[in-house]
Amino acid sequence: GVISIISTAVPMFTVDMERIKTNALNEARELEDLLIMAESLVGEHVQLSMQILKQRSLDIGPPSIKGNIALNNQQLADLNFGKQSQAFGTNLVDGVTDTGTGTATLFVKNQGDFVRIATSVRKKDGSRAIGTVLDPKGKAIPYLLAKKPFYGVVDILGEPYISGYEPIIDQSGNLIGAWYVGYKVDVKALGQAIKKWAFLQSGFAAVSDYNNNIRFLSERVTLDQASQILNNPTDKWVIVSQNIPQWDFHAVIAYPAREAFWNSASKLYA
């Protein structure tokens, strides 16, 4: 009889432990859906704003390089549309976004880099980010160097933006710069939603970026505790992760293995 009970209980216990892990994966997928929804709602604004920026640029005239400009103690190529230099300009970049979170930029190519020569992106001190360089390790660079557009979520000066980049090519087919349009992610709204996320009694939710930095975290755990658990995994915690390719982020549900064990074990005696 004891053997019969054990032979029945062990499979039930195993199935229930797997059920908990499956539920955690489903929760991670719900986190993924939340971020994808945020990206899709803003993506249409990015596409439309990019069309406007490109059309207004080309209405001035074809793109070309005419001479050089001095910026941040270096000489950069002078990006022109028609006969108008775009260095330090504001009309094009300020006129294409329809909300306070929208930004636009004209980049000029400088060897392998892309430098902002006209932008509505602001630095933390409130000044325009003129002369700053597009992240050379960022996701957009390989696409632009291949003369292809890139659309996705990128970090700009430490903040996530749902963005679009299009290459600026002169009449000879040379890559001379790039157009950019982006909308800052409403991190406060996403943060508040994820802050209340829970799993079992002590489990928590987190969203980390491509550098494994935690961007969003439920309030059940401190940032230091979550970082220790996720960056130094042990058998004390079960960590379930779901990739979010649109963001290059990861949604994570973590819960104590002991808690899942007792949760499943208690049902054997219920």
Side-chain angles (χ1 to χ4, degrees):
V2 171
I3 293 174
S4 176
I5 293 172
I6 292 174
S7 64
T8 302
V10 170
M12 290 175 59
F13 176 82
T14 302
V15 167
D16 199 63
M17 288 286 282
E18 284 301 314
R19 178 189 61 81
I20 293 173
K21 191 170 185 178
T22 299
N23 288 345
L25 179 58
N26 290 336
E27 293 276 328
R29 286 171 175 163
E30 288 186 24
L31 282 170
E32 178 191 16
D33 290 342
L34 181 66
L35 269 70
I36 290 175
M37 184 182 300
E39 191 274 337
S40 63
L41 290 174
V42 179
E44 293 181 6
H45 291 289
V46 173
Q47 294 278 353
L48 178 59
S49 295
M50 177 62 78
Q51 291 176 20
I52 294 172
L53 177 60
K54 291 177 64 177
Q55 188 59 56
R56 290 181 179 177
S57 299
L58 298 176
D59 283 346
I60 299 172
S64 64
I65 297 297
K66 296 181 179 178
N68 297 303
I69 59 168
L71 181 60
N72 293 348
N73 298 318
Q74 62 176 329
Q75 293 291 313
L76 298 175
D78 187 11
L79 175 66
N80 280 243
F81 291 116
K83 296 181 180 180
Q84 293 184 17
S85 171
Q86 298 305 310
F88 310 102
T90 60
N91 290 340
L92 281 174
V93 295
D94 286 351
V96 298
T97 52
D98 57 5
T99 74
T101 62
T103 55
T105 295
L106 297 175
F107 290 93
V108 69
K109 187 173 180 292
N110 182 44
Q111 297 180 358
D113 291 329
F114 291 83
V115 183
R116 294 178 179 89
I117 49 100
T119 185
S120 59
V121 174
R122 302 275 179 170
K123 294 187 288 188
K124 290 183 178 180
D125 64 6
S127 63
R128 292 179 186 264
I130 300 293
T132 57
V133 177
L134 179 61
D135 183 0
K137 297 181 180 179
K139 294 177 283 185
I141 289 284
Y143 288 85
L144 293 175
L145 291 177
K147 301 180 183 180
K148 296 179 180 179
F150 170 82
Y151 286 84
V153 181
V154 300
D155 269 10
I156 297 178
L157 304 179
E159 298 287 349
Y161 282 75
I162 297 170
S163 306
Y165 294 82
E166 295 266 0
I168 299 176
I169 299 172
D170 68 13
Q171 292 178 302
S172 299
N174 300 308
L175 175 66
I176 60 174
W179 287 286
Y180 155 83
V181 170
Y183 287 80
K184 188 176 179 180
V185 175
D186 187 350
V187 293
K188 185 176 181 180
L190 283 174
Q192 287 297 322
I194 296 171
K195 187 177 181 180
K196 300 300 180 182
W197 220 279
F199 191 79
L200 297 181
Q201 294 298 313
S202 308
F204 64 90
V207 176
S208 58
D209 64 18
Y210 47 86
N211 289 320
N212 291 323
N213 297 317
I214 296 174
R215 293 297 189 94
F216 305 102
L217 181 65
S218 55
E219 61 186 0
R220 288 183 150 201
V221 64
T222 67
L223 179 60
D224 287 343
Q225 289 171 334
S227 297
Q228 178 66 26
I229 292 167
L230 299 182
N231 294 329
N232 301 282
T234 69
D235 57 7
K236 293 182 178 180
W237 284 82
V238 178
I239 299 171
V240 178
S241 179
Q242 176 69 24
N243 186 37
I244 310 174
Q246 292 90 335
W247 291 66
D248 200 13
F249 281 12
H250 289 84
V252 177
I253 300 292
Y255 59 93
R258 183 175 181 178
E259 192 170 296
F261 176 91
W262 288 113
N263 184 286
S264 295
S266 66
K267 294 179 181 179
L268 299 178
Y269 301 98

